[in-house]
PDB file of all heavy atoms in Angstrom:
ATOM      1  N   ILE O   9     -23.049 -15.208  -2.823  1.00 95.00           N
ATOM      2  CA  ILE O   9     -23.474 -15.108  -4.196  1.00 95.00           C
ATOM      3  C   ILE O   9     -22.770 -13.897  -4.761  1.00 95.00           C
ATOM      4  O   ILE O   9     -23.086 -12.744  -4.250  1.00 95.00           O
ATOM      5  CB  ILE O   9     -25.044 -14.997  -4.298  1.00 95.00           C
ATOM      6  CG1 ILE O   9     -25.625 -16.193  -3.650  1.00 95.00           C
ATOM      7  CG2 ILE O   9     -25.487 -14.806  -5.748  1.00 95.00           C
ATOM      8  CD1 ILE O   9     -27.187 -16.103  -3.566  1.00 95.00           C
ATOM      9  N   GLY O  10     -21.917 -14.140  -5.761  1.00 95.00           N
ATOM     10  CA  GLY O  10     -21.095 -12.925  -6.231  1.00 95.00           C
ATOM     11  C   GLY O  10     -20.256 -12.438  -5.178  1.00 95.00           C
ATOM     12  O   GLY O  10     -19.805 -13.186  -4.216  1.00 95.00           O
ATOM     13  N   ASP O  11     -19.855 -11.108  -5.293  1.00 95.00           N
ATOM     14  CA  ASP O  11     -18.943 -10.547  -4.327  1.00 95.00           C
ATOM     15  C   ASP O  11     -19.710  -9.760  -3.188  1.00 95.00           C
ATOM     16  O   ASP O  11     -19.030  -9.527  -2.201  1.00 95.00           O
ATOM     17  CB  ASP O  11     -18.163  -9.454  -5.097  1.00 95.00           C
ATOM     18  CG  ASP O  11     -17.214 -10.125  -6.103  1.00 95.00           C
ATOM     19  OD1 ASP O  11     -16.770 -11.281  -5.821  1.00 95.00           O
ATOM     20  OD2 ASP O  11     -16.913  -9.456  -7.095  1.00 95.00           O
ATOM     21  N   ASP O  12     -21.000  -9.621  -3.322  1.00 95.00           N
ATOM     22  CA  ASP O  12     -21.601  -8.761  -2.328  1.00 95.00           C
ATOM     23  C   ASP O  12     -22.915  -9.149  -1.799  1.00 95.00           C
ATOM     24  O   ASP O  12     -23.764  -8.429  -1.185  1.00 95.00           O
ATOM     25  CB  ASP O  12     -21.815  -7.331  -2.923  1.00 95.00           C
ATOM     26  CG  ASP O  12     -22.565  -7.326  -4.282  1.00 95.00           C
ATOM     27  OD1 ASP O  12     -22.923  -8.395  -4.767  1.00 95.00           O
ATOM     28  OD2 ASP O  12     -22.660  -6.242  -4.933  1.00 95.00           O
ATOM     29  N   ILE O  13     -23.296 -10.440  -1.950  1.00 97.00           N
ATOM     30  CA  ILE O  13     -24.478 -10.969  -1.368  1.00 97.00           C
ATOM     31  C   ILE O  13     -24.131 -12.172  -0.455  1.00 97.00           C
ATOM     32  O   ILE O  13     -23.470 -13.109  -0.890  1.00 97.00           O
ATOM     33  CB  ILE O  13     -25.542 -11.480  -2.486  1.00 97.00           C
ATOM     34  CG1 ILE O  13     -25.922 -10.171  -3.329  1.00 97.00           C
ATOM     35  CG2 ILE O  13     -26.742 -12.093  -1.771  1.00 97.00           C
ATOM     36  CD1 ILE O  13     -26.796 -10.592  -4.503  1.00 97.00           C
ATOM     37  N   GLU O  14     -24.525 -12.091   0.830  1.00 97.00           N
ATOM     38  CA  GLU O  14     -24.308 -13.206   1.681  1.00 97.00           C
ATOM     39  C   GLU O  14     -25.637 -13.734   2.233  1.00 97.00           C
ATOM     40  O   GLU O  14     -26.492 -12.958   2.717  1.00 97.00           O
ATOM     41  CB  GLU O  14     -23.419 -12.653   2.912  1.00 97.00           C
ATOM     42  CG  GLU O  14     -23.176 -13.749   3.934  1.00 97.00           C
ATOM     43  CD  GLU O  14     -22.337 -13.304   5.113  1.00 97.00           C
ATOM     44  OE1 GLU O  14     -22.199 -12.099   5.192  1.00 97.00           O
ATOM     45  OE2 GLU O  14     -21.976 -14.175   5.882  1.00 97.00           O
ATOM     46  N   LEU O  15     -25.829 -15.047   2.223  1.00 97.00           N
ATOM     47  CA  LEU O  15     -26.950 -15.670   2.844  1.00 97.00           C
ATOM     48  C   LEU O  15     -26.412 -16.449   4.067  1.00 97.00           C
ATOM     49  O   LEU O  15     -25.509 -17.219   3.929  1.00 97.00           O
ATOM     50  CB  LEU O  15     -27.552 -16.696   1.930  1.00 97.00           C
ATOM     51  CG  LEU O  15     -28.115 -16.122   0.601  1.00 97.00           C
ATOM     52  CD1 LEU O  15     -28.649 -17.247  -0.243  1.00 97.00           C
ATOM     53  CD2 LEU O  15     -29.145 -15.128   0.833  1.00 97.00           C
ATOM     54  N   LYS O  16     -27.009 -16.141   5.269  1.00 97.00           N
ATOM     55  CA  LYS O  16     -26.407 -16.729   6.544  1.00 97.00           C
ATOM     56  C   LYS O  16     -27.575 -17.520   7.068  1.00 97.00           C
ATOM     57  O   LYS O  16     -28.655 -16.978   7.284  1.00 97.00           O
ATOM     58  CB  LYS O  16     -25.903 -15.717   7.448  1.00 97.00           C
ATOM     59  CG  LYS O  16     -25.362 -16.338   8.661  1.00 97.00           C
ATOM     60  CD  LYS O  16     -24.642 -15.237   9.589  1.00 97.00           C
ATOM     61  CE  LYS O  16     -23.977 -15.874  10.790  1.00 97.00           C
ATOM     62  NZ  LYS O  16     -23.234 -14.923  11.471  1.00 97.00           N
ATOM     63  N   ILE O  17     -27.334 -18.755   7.439  1.00 97.00           N
ATOM     64  CA  ILE O  17     -28.359 -19.532   8.235  1.00 97.00           C
ATOM     65  C   ILE O  17     -28.332 -19.091   9.646  1.00 97.00           C
ATOM     66  O   ILE O  17     -27.275 -19.261  10.428  1.00 97.00           O
ATOM     67  CB  ILE O  17     -28.022 -21.077   8.069  1.00 97.00           C
ATOM     68  CG1 ILE O  17     -27.813 -21.448   6.652  1.00 97.00           C
ATOM     69  CG2 ILE O  17     -29.060 -21.849   8.816  1.00 97.00           C
ATOM     70  CD1 ILE O  17     -29.008 -21.183   5.713  1.00 97.00           C
ATOM     71  N   ILE O  18     -29.352 -18.467  10.151  1.00 97.00           N
ATOM     72  CA  ILE O  18     -29.469 -17.941  11.454  1.00 97.00           C
ATOM     73  C   ILE O  18     -29.920 -19.070  12.420  1.00 97.00           C
ATOM     74  O   ILE O  18     -29.368 -19.222  13.493  1.00 97.00           O
ATOM     75  CB  ILE O  18     -30.459 -16.792  11.466  1.00 97.00           C
ATOM     76  CG1 ILE O  18     -30.106 -15.738  10.456  1.00 97.00           C
ATOM     77  CG2 ILE O  18     -30.616 -16.262  12.910  1.00 97.00           C
ATOM     78  CD1 ILE O  18     -28.777 -15.044  10.683  1.00 97.00           C
ATOM     79  N   GLU O  19     -30.969 -19.824  12.004  1.00 95.00           N
ATOM     80  CA  GLU O  19     -31.468 -20.816  12.919  1.00 95.00           C
ATOM     81  C   GLU O  19     -32.197 -21.831  12.164  1.00 95.00           C
ATOM     82  O   GLU O  19     -32.867 -21.510  11.155  1.00 95.00           O
ATOM     83  CB  GLU O  19     -32.390 -20.135  13.946  1.00 95.00           C
ATOM     84  CG  GLU O  19     -33.172 -21.008  14.902  1.00 95.00           C
ATOM     85  CD  GLU O  19     -34.041 -20.281  15.807  1.00 95.00           C
ATOM     86  OE1 GLU O  19     -34.604 -19.179  15.365  1.00 95.00           O
ATOM     87  OE2 GLU O  19     -34.312 -20.659  16.922  1.00 95.00           O
ATOM     88  N   THR O  20     -32.193 -23.071  12.595  1.00 93.00           N
ATOM     89  CA  THR O  20     -32.997 -24.141  12.098  1.00 93.00           C
ATOM     90  C   THR O  20     -33.888 -24.688  13.243  1.00 93.00           C
ATOM     91  O   THR O  20     -33.320 -24.951  14.369  1.00 93.00           O
ATOM     92  CB  THR O  20     -32.179 -25.292  11.443  1.00 93.00           C
ATOM     93  OG1 THR O  20     -31.289 -25.850  12.379  1.00 93.00           O
ATOM     94  CG2 THR O  20     -31.412 -24.840  10.212  1.00 93.00           C
ATOM     95  N   LEU O  21     -35.210 -24.846  12.895  1.00 93.00           N
ATOM     96  CA  LEU O  21     -36.033 -25.352  14.002  1.00 93.00           C
ATOM     97  C   LEU O  21     -37.146 -26.211  13.307  1.00 93.00           C
ATOM     98  O   LEU O  21     -38.004 -25.643  12.626  1.00 93.00           O
ATOM     99  CB  LEU O  21     -36.696 -24.143  14.747  1.00 93.00           C
ATOM    100  CG  LEU O  21     -37.503 -24.484  15.957  1.00 93.00           C
ATOM    101  CD1 LEU O  21     -36.692 -25.259  16.976  1.00 93.00           C
ATOM    102  CD2 LEU O  21     -38.079 -23.269  16.540  1.00 93.00           C
ATOM    103  N   GLY O  22     -37.017 -27.486  13.421  1.00 92.00           N
ATOM    104  CA  GLY O  22     -37.969 -28.373  12.777  1.00 92.00           C
ATOM    105  C   GLY O  22     -37.796 -28.231  11.237  1.00 92.00           C
ATOM    106  O   GLY O  22     -36.693 -28.374  10.658  1.00 92.00           O
ATOM    107  N   ASP O  23     -38.870 -27.983  10.617  1.00 93.00           N
ATOM    108  CA  ASP O  23     -38.896 -27.716   9.122  1.00 93.00           C
ATOM    109  C   ASP O  23     -38.769 -26.291   8.748  1.00 93.00           C
ATOM    110  O   ASP O  23     -38.932 -25.968   7.501  1.00 93.00           O
ATOM    111  CB  ASP O  23     -40.099 -28.412   8.504  1.00 93.00           C
ATOM    112  CG  ASP O  23     -41.393 -27.691   8.870  1.00 93.00           C
ATOM    113  OD1 ASP O  23     -41.323 -26.915   9.878  1.00 93.00           O
ATOM    114  OD2 ASP O  23     -42.486 -27.928   8.312  1.00 93.00           O
ATOM    115  N   LYS O  24     -38.345 -25.418   9.706  1.00 94.00           N
ATOM    116  CA  LYS O  24     -38.203 -24.033   9.354  1.00 94.00           C
ATOM    117  C   LYS O  24     -36.783 -23.567   9.451  1.00 94.00           C
ATOM    118  O   LYS O  24     -36.033 -24.109  10.250  1.00 94.00           O
ATOM    119  CB  LYS O  24     -39.084 -23.164  10.294  1.00 94.00           C
ATOM    120  CG  LYS O  24     -40.625 -23.302  10.028  1.00 94.00           C
ATOM    121  CD  LYS O  24     -41.358 -22.372  10.938  1.00 94.00           C
ATOM    122  CE  LYS O  24     -42.832 -22.562  10.694  1.00 94.00           C
ATOM    123  NZ  LYS O  24     -43.647 -21.576  11.347  1.00 94.00           N
ATOM    124  N   VAL O  25     -36.413 -22.690   8.591  1.00 94.00           N
ATOM    125  CA  VAL O  25     -35.029 -22.161   8.654  1.00 94.00           C
ATOM    126  C   VAL O  25     -35.041 -20.629   8.540  1.00 94.00           C
ATOM    127  O   VAL O  25     -35.777 -20.020   7.719  1.00 94.00           O
ATOM    128  CB  VAL O  25     -34.214 -22.690   7.294  1.00 94.00           C
ATOM    129  CG1 VAL O  25     -32.914 -22.099   7.250  1.00 94.00           C
ATOM    130  CG2 VAL O  25     -34.252 -24.066   7.263  1.00 94.00           C
ATOM    131  N   LYS O  26     -34.383 -20.014   9.498  1.00 96.00           N
ATOM    132  CA  LYS O  26     -34.250 -18.528   9.421  1.00 96.00           C
ATOM    133  C   LYS O  26     -32.962 -18.135   8.625  1.00 96.00           C
ATOM    134  O   LYS O  26     -31.907 -18.692   8.989  1.00 96.00           O
ATOM    135  CB  LYS O  26     -34.192 -17.964  10.802  1.00 96.00           C
ATOM    136  CG  LYS O  26     -35.512 -17.887  11.515  1.00 96.00           C
ATOM    137  CD  LYS O  26     -35.358 -17.107  12.881  1.00 96.00           C
ATOM    138  CE  LYS O  26     -36.662 -17.082  13.544  1.00 96.00           C
ATOM    139  NZ  LYS O  26     -36.527 -16.336  14.854  1.00 96.00           N
ATOM    140  N   ILE O  27     -33.176 -17.308   7.652  1.00 96.00           N
ATOM    141  CA  ILE O  27     -32.066 -16.947   6.839  1.00 96.00           C
ATOM    142  C   ILE O  27     -31.836 -15.459   6.885  1.00 96.00           C
ATOM    143  O   ILE O  27     -32.841 -14.663   6.810  1.00 96.00           O
ATOM    144  CB  ILE O  27     -32.327 -17.358   5.375  1.00 96.00           C
ATOM    145  CG1 ILE O  27     -32.554 -18.845   5.222  1.00 96.00           C
ATOM    146  CG2 ILE O  27     -31.172 -16.906   4.398  1.00 96.00           C
ATOM    147  CD1 ILE O  27     -33.012 -19.248   3.849  1.00 96.00           C
ATOM    148  N   GLY O  28     -30.633 -14.980   7.047  1.00 97.00           N
ATOM    149  CA  GLY O  28     -30.213 -13.585   7.083  1.00 97.00           C
ATOM    150  C   GLY O  28     -29.644 -13.267   5.686  1.00 97.00           C
ATOM    151  O   GLY O  28     -28.887 -14.144   5.197  1.00 97.00           O
ATOM    152  N   ILE O  29     -30.062 -12.119   5.043  1.00 97.00           N
ATOM    153  CA  ILE O  29     -29.552 -11.768   3.770  1.00 97.00           C
ATOM    154  C   ILE O  29     -28.849 -10.452   3.868  1.00 97.00           C
ATOM    155  O   ILE O  29     -29.441  -9.446   4.263  1.00 97.00           O
ATOM    156  CB  ILE O  29     -30.744 -11.838   2.749  1.00 97.00           C
ATOM    157  CG1 ILE O  29     -31.392 -13.116   2.685  1.00 97.00           C
ATOM    158  CG2 ILE O  29     -30.149 -11.320   1.318  1.00 97.00           C
ATOM    159  CD1 ILE O  29     -32.765 -13.057   1.926  1.00 97.00           C
ATOM    160  N   SER O  30     -27.634 -10.370   3.485  1.00 96.00           N
ATOM    161  CA  SER O  30     -26.834  -9.144   3.326  1.00 96.00           C
ATOM    162  C   SER O  30     -26.651  -8.867   1.958  1.00 96.00           C
ATOM    163  O   SER O  30     -25.979  -9.693   1.138  1.00 96.00           O
ATOM    164  CB  SER O  30     -25.531  -9.126   4.078  1.00 96.00           C
ATOM    165  OG  SER O  30     -25.711  -9.380   5.504  1.00 96.00           O
ATOM    166  N   ALA O  31     -27.235  -7.728   1.415  1.00 96.00           N
ATOM    167  CA  ALA O  31     -27.082  -7.444  -0.024  1.00 96.00           C
ATOM    168  C   ALA O  31     -27.132  -5.867  -0.180  1.00 96.00           C
ATOM    169  O   ALA O  31     -27.637  -5.227   0.618  1.00 96.00           O
ATOM    170  CB  ALA O  31     -28.216  -8.083  -0.796  1.00 96.00           C
ATOM    171  N   PRO O  32     -26.564  -5.365  -1.177  1.00 96.00           N
ATOM    172  CA  PRO O  32     -26.658  -3.975  -1.578  1.00 96.00           C
ATOM    173  C   PRO O  32     -28.044  -3.480  -1.649  1.00 96.00           C
ATOM    174  O   PRO O  32     -28.941  -4.272  -1.985  1.00 96.00           O
ATOM    175  CB  PRO O  32     -25.810  -3.820  -2.750  1.00 96.00           C
ATOM    176  CG  PRO O  32     -25.039  -5.016  -2.992  1.00 96.00           C
ATOM    177  CD  PRO O  32     -25.796  -6.100  -2.284  1.00 96.00           C
ATOM    178  N   ASP O  33     -28.280  -2.195  -1.302  1.00 94.00           N
ATOM    179  CA  ASP O  33     -29.640  -1.604  -1.471  1.00 94.00           C
ATOM    180  C   ASP O  33     -30.196  -1.840  -2.851  1.00 94.00           C
ATOM    181  O   ASP O  33     -31.454  -1.913  -2.986  1.00 94.00           O
ATOM    182  CB  ASP O  33     -29.618  -0.139  -1.021  1.00 94.00           C
ATOM    183  CG  ASP O  33     -29.318   0.044   0.422  1.00 94.00           C
ATOM    184  OD1 ASP O  33     -29.615  -0.963   1.214  1.00 94.00           O
ATOM    185  OD2 ASP O  33     -28.958   1.101   0.799  1.00 94.00           O
ATOM    186  N   LYS O  34     -29.381  -1.809  -3.936  1.00 94.00           N
ATOM    187  CA  LYS O  34     -29.857  -1.892  -5.234  1.00 94.00           C
ATOM    188  C   LYS O  34     -30.442  -3.270  -5.571  1.00 94.00           C
ATOM    189  O   LYS O  34     -31.164  -3.479  -6.600  1.00 94.00           O
ATOM    190  CB  LYS O  34     -28.810  -1.545  -6.294  1.00 94.00           C
ATOM    191  CG  LYS O  34     -27.593  -2.437  -6.227  1.00 94.00           C
ATOM    192  CD  LYS O  34     -26.537  -2.035  -7.228  1.00 94.00           C
ATOM    193  CE  LYS O  34     -25.403  -3.061  -7.161  1.00 94.00           C
ATOM    194  NZ  LYS O  34     -24.391  -2.757  -8.096  1.00 94.00           N
ATOM    195  N   VAL O  35     -30.156  -4.275  -4.771  1.00 93.00           N
ATOM    196  CA  VAL O  35     -30.611  -5.609  -5.021  1.00 93.00           C
ATOM    197  C   VAL O  35     -31.955  -5.794  -4.352  1.00 93.00           C
ATOM    198  O   VAL O  35     -32.076  -5.598  -3.093  1.00 93.00           O
ATOM    199  CB  VAL O  35     -29.627  -6.648  -4.473  1.00 93.00           C
ATOM    200  CG1 VAL O  35     -30.140  -8.144  -4.605  1.00 93.00           C
ATOM    201  CG2 VAL O  35     -28.265  -6.578  -5.152  1.00 93.00           C
ATOM    202  N   LYS O  36     -33.005  -6.137  -5.123  1.00 88.00           N
ATOM    203  CA  LYS O  36     -34.273  -6.363  -4.614  1.00 88.00           C
ATOM    204  C   LYS O  36     -34.356  -7.750  -4.074  1.00 88.00           C
ATOM    205  O   LYS O  36     -34.064  -8.725  -4.694  1.00 88.00           O
ATOM    206  CB  LYS O  36     -35.373  -6.235  -5.783  1.00 88.00           C
ATOM    207  CG  LYS O  36     -36.785  -6.244  -5.309  1.00 88.00           C
ATOM    208  CD  LYS O  36     -37.749  -6.093  -6.457  1.00 88.00           C
ATOM    209  CE  LYS O  36     -37.542  -4.987  -7.310  1.00 88.00           C
ATOM    210  NZ  LYS O  36     -38.560  -4.866  -8.314  1.00 88.00           N
ATOM    211  N   VAL O  37     -34.828  -7.911  -2.815  1.00 90.00           N
ATOM    212  CA  VAL O  37     -35.002  -9.151  -2.170  1.00 90.00           C
ATOM    213  C   VAL O  37     -36.492  -9.362  -1.788  1.00 90.00           C
ATOM    214  O   VAL O  37     -36.980  -8.573  -0.964  1.00 90.00           O
ATOM    215  CB  VAL O  37     -34.112  -9.290  -0.883  1.00 90.00           C
ATOM    216  CG1 VAL O  37     -34.326 -10.657  -0.250  1.00 90.00           C
ATOM    217  CG2 VAL O  37     -32.701  -9.121  -1.194  1.00 90.00           C
TER     218      VAL O  37
END
């Protein structure tokens, strides 16, 4: 998303998905 936000699918298990988010500190998640 843009130049500095990455969403990575870490794991899928049934109906659950683990997502890793890399974003600058100024971005509220």
